[in-house]
Amino acid sequence: MKPFFITTPIYYANDEPHIGHAYTTVAADILARMERLRNREVIFSTGTDEHGAKIAEKAREAGQDPQLFVDAVAETFQGLWEKLNISLSENAFIRTTNKDHIKVVQKVLAELYQNGALYRGTYKGLYCVGCEQYKNEGDLVNGKCPDHDRVPEVMEEESYMLKMTELQSTLLEHVRSKKFHIYPSQYEKEVTSFLENQTLEDISLSRKNVTWGVPLPFDETHTTYVWADAFLNYLTVLGWSGEGKVPEAWPADIQLVGKDILRVHATIWPIMLLHLGVPLPKLLYTHGHILSAGKKMSKTLGNVISINEMLSAFGTDGTRYLLFTMGHFGDDIDITFGRLTEKYNADLANGLGNLVSRIMKLGESLPTLPIVTEAGGSRIWSEQQQPLQISKILEATMERVSSANRYMDETKPWILVKENKGKFEKVMDNLFSQLSQISLEIEPFMPDTAEKIKTALKTGKTEALFQRIQ
Ligand code: MSP
């Protein structure tokens, strides 16, 4: 059977990883773990996007050789994924400066050139180095790129152009029929209306003045546009040689992207694939942004919530949990450190942590531990079709925690243990199986906690799970 293939964007290696990168990557990890629990073989990839003007500029500012610069950044990303317990597949952290990746990029560009998809032309436009994209006048606010607050440069250069316009209706058809499914629907509507109302201009796929990039094999005075280089990671990570049949794991079952990079993933990427005769990904799962106190996080505003601070305060599982409960995955979510702390205390310290410790404490009075079998529990998502809705599933699971806590408050097993041994044992049986079910369902979200609960249920012993934060 075809492995289930799930990808995150590959992140720019121009700075330390931040909470937004963690958000997408943990989401992908949760989905990957769910698929494994549905007995699918899973390939789960992420990586770093290491070429282009922006990174060259950063390395220069740091007074470093670009390769050494990106080597160090890539390492920080990998370190963060370990701390967040990201279950990447083997060899599935892809770096675009990897030699094999570069070879494939060159082969693909040569193929596009040979089959006429790529042609030599000139391109004139307003280029924002922050976005590594040409901008339309309509994208600018007061003449500046609103995302980077910088005036784009006017660029006119000889360039190799990718034919976009001729495939626009084919692409629209794929989106409409959901063969190329963009999800959730608000993002699908956005793409459909864009494709219906605007002409996709042919785009420049090479750069003459950017040396930190992959040289075009048929014209070494040009390097490959960083986005074209980056998109191909989704195929090179599978070990594709760049010609002939693509590996059987392709098409990707889920490609996760933030809404900021939806447009490019819904236009340039599928059109490159159409030109190559390679099937389009099945699902482009798009999510909103994390805002801090209602605003985009920025160093100048001083409202950056650091992922490392979150990890120190809430631990790995606490952080994983909080990212998906502060709002619905898909929409923008707004957080503050104070609200994260409140939620942690309410749901994890007082909710789940307290439930486990109350049950295990009372369990000490049982003559023998109830036997809980895993086979009994099926998980909420086990029968559901893609796309799985992360926040809703987690909410339903946490509802079990509240209901088990309520059941305990109503049945008062701490009184039954003294007054009605028979009833006490029945109530404890129920609580043990509830907890077992909870441990099954939280597994993709909080894998370590799930494991600890399972061990507690088997041995009768547990450590405190989530300490209250003052
Ligand atoms: N290198 C390109 C992607 C190439 S993929 C072929 C890139 N890199 S990035 O470092 O800027 O990462 C962008 C992605 O990071 C977003 O699409 C999103 O997945 C994640 N996020 C970055 N900031 C975010 C928030 N504030 N909130 C949520 N996710 C965000 O674009």
Side-chain angles (χ1 to χ4, degrees), residues 214-230:
V214 180
L216 295 187
F218 45 88
D219 183 346
E220 300 228 331
T221 63
H222 287 251
T223 56
T224 307
Y225 176 40
V226 60
W227 275 98
D229 172 4

Side-chain angles (χ1 to χ4, degrees), residues 47 62 116 122 128 139 193 263 265 286 304 355 420:
T122 33
C128 171
D139 295 330
S193 117
R263 179 83 64 85
H265 273 84
T286 311
V304 175
L355 177 72
N420 187 342

Side-chain angles (χ1 to χ4, degrees), residues 9-12 18 20-21 23-24 49 227 230-231 234 258 260-261 265 287-290:
I10 52 169
Y11 307 108
Y12 285 126
H18 59 68
H21 303 135
Y23 189 54
T24 316
D49 188 353
W227 275 98
F231 284 132
Y234 298 133
D260 53 324
I261 58 172
H265 273 84
H287 64 75
H289 282 170
I290 304 183

Side-chain angles (χ1 to χ4, degrees), residues 52-63 129-130 150 153 212:
K54 180 156 63 176
I55 288 167
E57 190 179 287
K58 271 283 191 155
R60 210 171 25 248
E61 281 167 21
V129 179
R150 64 197 268 179
E153 296 158 32
W212 183 241

